[in-house]
Amino acid sequence: MRFSIDNLNEVQKEAVLVTEGPVMILAGAGSGKTRTLVTRISYLLNEKNISPHQLLALTFSNKAAKEMRERISHDVEFDIGALQITTFHAFCAKLLRSEATHLGLSRNFTIYDDSESKAIVKTLLDRRGISTKEVSPYDILNYIDGLKNFAYYPGREELNIKDITVPQEEDEYYDYLAEYESELNRANAIDFGGLITSVIQLFEKYPDVLERYQKRFKYVLVDEYQDTNRAQFELIKYLCGKHRNICVVGDEDQSIYSWRGADIRNILDFEKVFEDVVVLKLEQNYRSSKNIIEAASAVIEKNVMRKGKQMWTENPDGDSVNIIETFNDKDEAEFVAREIMHLKKGQVRHDDFAVFYRTNAQARLIEDALRKYKIPYKVIGGVRFYERKEIKDILAYLRIIINPKDNLAISRIINVPARGIGATSLRKFEVEAINTNLSLFEVLEKIISTEEFSHLKLSAKVRSSISEFVTLIHECKILDDNKIKPSKIYEKVLHESGYFAFLKANKDFETLARLENLDELLNAIVQFEEGQTGANLQAFLESVTLDTTMEDNALEAENTESEKSGEVSLMTVHGAKGLEFLYAFLVGAEENMFPSFRSVESGDMAMEEERRLFYVAMTRAMKKLYITFALGRMLFGQIKFNGPSRFLDEIPEHLFNWKKLDSMTSDFESATYRSKNMAPKKNWAPLPSYEDNDDEHFADISYDDHEEVIYQTKASKENIVRPAHFHQATFPVGSLVQHNLYGKGVVQETEGNGQEEKVVIKFNDGHRKKFMVKFAPITLC
């Protein structure tokens, strides 16, 4: 038998063998979490003789699920085909395909991504005559998504979650919620957050359905539990309500995704919900040197919101953490490149190196320096393949074949390539669809088959174009029903729609790239067919939606490129989670950079998440860790001195070497050593010289495109908070203003200059709205 627990330590073995009742495994960084979880599942299948049909394992990326499944297949000696190791959203999508009729959906519903959800909101705003410059669709979507993260769906009266109440009519975006959901229902669609809440709604309204799934899944396991939101926690509670054999694996010290809904209280309060839980702590680190582990532990121990683990390792002490102080950000980048060159002489690979930064904007100088020294690199986290226009266009065609009620897909490509159906005609079709309670496709069908819409007075050319479009969709639908391969349907759509000829007519390089992308899409479909038994178009489209929404950019790029490329990896710290490198450089360790200014201003919870993020960065390093900061950093053309990050002060002095690089020509070996008490404090170093200008009293610096700027006076070096992109505002912050429609209010935020000036106003009724000054009917009181 291939299954064995002999290679596990004592706590890992216990985590495998304690199978009954609730179990929480707190798995520190590099503690063998995945190996333990895989062995636990294999033990249930091999030794407890649990049927694969009765076990459910949930995680957060398809890549992680695939790797886990492959490792379990190696451990057991029978077919695990019925075993569900999948993501939360893929699990819910599959469940809803079977149960959709309970919620008034057909089983061929479409899953809308962010861009399609945004299109719905823009339509809702347009109906109200509201410009997206007045009300941001993202604000409305954030409101709706936030509610779904907390397991709310329209009609749910109680949430039973501390600090959260059901939405109220006085909420600024309340009126959009029901209409947004109505549009989804009309299109036979569910948005990404709705996959979870729809299953919760299903379980609450149909207890017999819930009981069926509770009986089936005797054991439920959740990986990366610290990343779950409240809706996912509610789903877990429902699924394990009968057998209560729930095992969650996570690390509260690596909870870094609150901005996308993750709720650290899920892991902190787990024992309150499951009072008889067995809590096990995996504290032995197998990844990093002892000095790195002790330094990282000293930082994270400053957090209050944690269960408490004491990480340790049997690995050698290794080198001290290298804290590198440079004069400016150019010197910082120069140091990173030169140190990689130096270490590379030891016969290590380029892909043994990684550079981490807090924001993407910090990457440019690092790239410049690496290019200067001809060091190959890759930036993790670019525009994804499936977000390119030509790919989304063809996918829209394929989606209509599966779900003709998908109005967004139809509106996207009804005139691509041009068919003489412009925005005015499309608007007429949309009005008719609303008035007759039909989908857009049904309206198009009736236009060519009946006289019901003769009052639209469409030209013969337009009617002919509509007929060709509808016929193509019908023909492809027949092919799909007859189980013709998706790749064949794709080729038919590409050529008979006229899309290929439309692109081919242009000879520029951009068009050639688009054609190459379409070739790559065909490759993707063929590869999907090869990996699936009885692959069909719906399954391919669902895999695309779930993969591109859930897969982390960093993991995708690392999986597809790093082994063959031998390149240095550049990424944000968020993108680094789950990865490991022999040599890691954490750059920009300065106040207001890392921690970010927003976290400094937002209070203890935000600061604790910043510290967790810093901890994640430190624990990616296996052999050597470099933490660098610049005395002066240039952004938007000016210099700012922030001083070293507070997190550096939390590293015990015996665990680091603090070295000062005096100039760009200095190298690491000749750097000046410093003790921590010699480190420059905030505002300690003099400001650089610069040209006088209209704002001669300030030298400003912005550390993030969306966050505020801290200014520093020349004379006193006093920090003064001002809004980002300092300018002379027509309506300064604090101004009392009058809006012709909304009445009186106070300006709370201002940005931009001249024609691009924008303001956020809080009106007397409590509502906050954003306006472009040049369009808004506002005056100073």
Side-chain angles (χ1 to χ4, degrees), residues 154 192 302 448:
F192 211 63
K302 300 296 188 294
I448 62 174

Side-chain angles (χ1 to χ4, degrees), residues 309-406:
K309 297 181 300 297
Q310 186 58 53
M311 297 302 297
W312 61 277
T313 183
E314 293 180 346
N315 292 339
D317 290 349
D319 293 343
S320 298
V321 174
N322 294 295
I323 298 176
I324 310 300
E325 171 190 335
T326 66
F327 179 69
N328 59 31
D329 44 2
K330 288 185 178 180
D331 287 2
E332 178 185 60
E334 180 84 6
F335 163 74
V336 170
R338 293 177 64 169
E339 187 65 10
I340 289 174
M341 290 284 288
H342 172 74
L343 294 171
K344 189 69 175 60
K345 295 176 183 177
Q347 303 302 311
V348 297
R349 289 169 55 89
H350 281 117
D351 54 11
D352 289 327
F353 298 93
V355 183
F356 308 136
Y357 33 78
R358 182 63 180 83
T359 64
N360 279 304
Q362 295 170 254
R364 181 182 63 84
L365 286 175
I366 303 295
E367 291 186 64
D368 289 347
L370 294 178
R371 284 195 298 268
K372 174 182 175 181
Y373 288 96
K374 296 181 172 57
I375 298 173
Y377 70 91
K378 59 186 176 186
V379 179
I380 306 298
V383 176
R384 296 183 180 183
F385 176 78
Y386 288 103
E387 293 176 345
R388 295 167 182 170
K389 180 184 183 303
E390 62 277 11
I391 303 302
K392 291 186 78 72
D393 285 346
I394 295 301
L395 290 180
Y397 274 99
L398 301 181
R399 283 168 45 187
I400 296 167
I401 295 168
I402 298 301
N403 179 15
K405 291 184 177 181
D406 192 336

Side-chain angles (χ1 to χ4, degrees), residues 506-774:
N506 298 318
K507 302 295 183 183
D508 55 36
F509 287 103
E510 181 179 357
T511 300
L512 292 176
R514 292 183 186 278
L515 290 172
E516 290 173 357
N517 291 336
L518 290 172
D519 285 339
E520 187 60 27
L521 179 57
L522 177 59
N523 293 339
I525 297 174
V526 172
Q527 289 170 353
F528 177 81
E529 291 171 351
E530 293 173 348
Q532 297 280 330
T533 302
N536 58 41
L537 192 56
Q538 177 176 292
F540 172 73
L541 291 172
E542 184 166 300
S543 72
V544 167
T545 302
L546 296 176
D547 285 354
T548 56
T549 306
M550 283 304 298
E551 284 294 341
D552 182 87
N553 280 345
L555 294 180
E556 282 187 317
E558 189 269 342
N559 183 47
T560 57
E561 296 181 20
S562 65
E563 289 188 6
K564 65 180 181 181
S565 67
E567 300 164 323
V568 176
S569 295
L570 276 60
M571 68 190 78
T572 64
V573 182
H574 279 104
K577 186 172 178 291
L579 305 181
E580 60 184 30
F581 300 89
L582 285 177
Y583 306 94
F585 295 82
L586 173 56
V587 301
E590 300 144 29
E591 283 293 292
N592 302 315
M593 290 285 291
F594 202 170
S596 70
F597 176 70
R598 179 172 293 172
S599 66
V600 173
E601 290 294 299
S602 298
D604 292 342
M605 288 188 64
M607 184 56 64
E608 290 213 355
E609 180 152 335
E610 268 320 270
R611 187 175 283 108
R612 292 193 292 269
L613 195 58
F614 201 88
Y615 170 79
V616 166
M618 295 179 73
T619 54
R620 300 310 95 195
M622 301 170 68
K623 186 175 181 180
K624 276 182 179 284
L625 172 62
Y626 297 84
I627 306 177
T628 68
F629 73 93
L631 293 177
R633 185 170 300 272
M634 177 174 287
L635 287 174
F636 299 102
Q638 295 192 6
I639 300 293
K640 171 63 186 174
F641 284 83
N642 287 310
S645 168
R646 68 187 67 191
F647 300 144
L648 298 183
D649 286 335
E650 297 170 359
I651 301 175
E653 192 162 338
H654 70 278
L655 295 175
F656 67 77
N657 287 327
W658 188 305
K659 297 185 180 183
K660 176 184 177 182
L661 269 65
D662 295 320
S663 69
M664 193 177 294
T665 59
S666 299
D667 59 28
F668 182 60
E669 297 302 323
S670 63
T672 302
Y673 279 84
R674 284 189 137 161
S675 66
K676 185 158 59 176
N677 59 15
M678 294 174 60
K681 303 303 179 183
K682 193 169 185 179
N683 300 332
W684 189 70
L687 284 164
S689 60
Y690 55 92
E691 296 296 325
D692 287 344
N693 53 41
D694 292 339
D695 299 310
E696 64 178 0
H697 297 294
F698 295 98
D700 71 314
I701 192 68
S702 169
Y703 62 91
D704 190 291
D705 290 344
H706 303 292
E707 298 176 353
E708 288 181 312
V709 180
I710 290 187
Y711 294 79
Q712 191 178 67
T713 63
K714 284 182 181 178
S716 67
K717 304 183 182 65
E718 177 187 1
N719 287 332
I720 302 174
V721 179
R722 295 283 181 91
H725 311 296
F726 179 60
H727 62 282
Q728 297 296 323
T730 307
F731 299 93
V733 172
S735 300
L736 297 177
V737 295
Q738 174 77 34
H739 188 285
N740 289 355
L741 179 61
Y742 299 108
K744 292 183 178 181
V746 178
V747 176
Q748 292 191 322
E749 299 174 25
T750 176
E751 63 180 277
N753 295 294
Q755 295 293 303
E756 299 302 316
E757 184 177 351
K758 305 179 186 70
V759 293
V760 174
I761 301 172
K762 183 176 182 179
F763 291 97
N764 290 349
D765 63 1
H767 287 181
R768 296 174 76 251
K769 294 185 180 295
K770 189 172 186 177
F771 302 95
M772 284 285 289
V773 168
K774 65 180 179 181

